[in-house]
Amino acid sequence: RNAAQQAAQTYGLVKDPELQNYVSTLGRQLAANSERPQLPWSFAVVDDPTPNSFSLPGGFIFVTRGLLALMNSEAELATVVGHEIGHVTARHSVNQMSKAQIAQLGLGAGLILSPELAQLGDLAGQGLQLLFLKYGRDDERQSDELGFKYALAQGYDVGEMANTFRALQRSSELAGASRLPNWMASHPAEPERIASVERRVAAL
């Protein structure tokens, strides 16, 4: 809850009660049919032009106005919000925090015991980040699947989830973002995510 308050203060909320209510209502409908409907779910639009969305443990979910600008339908937005709900219901943030804390404790003990290792502390920290990227990609794939399921349960055209990934890919290309090698990316590449959506739709 504290982290959610900090995020809202850092980014600032879009001053549009109608928009905030719209996104919150959509999110609550999706979350009500998730595996954790009892959480105190909260949905907000933050005043940031970068296309992004993120979630915090406990059911605090944010989308940026930049992401909303890429959306062409409510179905696309539902799959994005559903994806973030999936991160919460699958406890991805909590798991990542636990892994990071355990790793940092182990690294910290090593730095105390070995002055030589202290010189490598920064490099070791970077290595730990790479180590946990695998979990990030797996988490993203699972959240894509959950977001697809939640949107489908509400009667949305889940085929439009692929349009969201296409829009994100175009936005990244237009911004001149350099692509990381796929194995280093914390998210699966957009073509992989689009293909996964198309396979799920074909299986329906």
Side-chain angles (χ1 to χ4, degrees):
R1 194 180 301 276
N2 288 338
Q5 291 173 352
Q6 290 174 8
Q9 291 170 0
T10 299
Y11 290 102
L13 299 181
V14 172
K15 292 179 174 60
D16 185 335
E18 189 174 351
L19 178 65
Q20 295 289 357
N21 183 63
Y22 168 69
V23 173
S24 180
T25 300
L26 182 149
R28 290 178 186 277
Q29 288 172 346
L30 293 167
N33 291 308
S34 73
E35 292 80 0
R36 304 178 70 190
Q38 77 287 355
L39 290 178
W41 292 96
S42 171
F43 301 85
V45 183
V46 291
D47 193 8
D48 189 308
T50 307
N52 197 13
S53 61
F54 57 96
S55 55
L56 295 168
F60 301 93
I61 291 174
F62 298 89
V63 297
T64 65
R65 63 176 172 84
L67 182 67
L68 290 180
L70 294 182
M71 301 288 98
N72 290 307
S73 71
E74 187 172 291
E76 290 180 21
L77 178 59
T79 60
V80 168
V81 174
H83 171 98
E84 295 303 335
I85 291 172
H87 277 306
V88 175
T89 57
R91 295 179 169 84
H92 291 158
S93 299
V94 174
N95 291 338
Q96 287 297 94
M97 289 164 61
S98 299
K99 292 188 187 87
Q101 288 171 347
I102 291 169
Q104 289 300 327
L105 284 172
L107 179 61
L111 296 181
I112 293 169
L113 297 173
S114 171
E116 291 79 12
L117 184 59
Q119 298 173 4
L120 303 175
D122 291 341
L123 184 60
Q126 293 170 6
L128 289 172
Q129 290 175 2
L130 283 175
L131 176 65
F132 295 133
L133 285 180
K134 174 183 182 297
Y135 296 100
R137 290 196 303 271
D138 291 344
D139 289 350
E140 295 298 337
R141 292 185 184 104
Q142 184 182 20
S143 290
D144 282 350
E145 185 174 356
L146 289 170
F148 185 97
K149 182 179 80 169
Y150 300 149
L152 180 63
Q154 288 294 305
Y156 287 107
D157 179 0
V158 286
E160 295 196 31
M161 188 177 199
N163 295 337
T164 302
F165 297 136
R166 292 188 185 100
L168 288 169
Q169 185 174 16
R170 286 194 302 270
S171 176
S172 177
E173 291 168 353
L174 288 171
S178 59
R179 297 294 301 173
L180 285 171
N182 195 42
W183 64 271
M184 288 185 67
S186 60
H187 287 60
E190 283 87 355
E192 176 192 332
R193 301 174 87 179
I194 292 168
S196 294
V197 171
E198 291 173 344
R199 282 196 299 272
R200 293 187 190 108
V201 170
L204 291 175

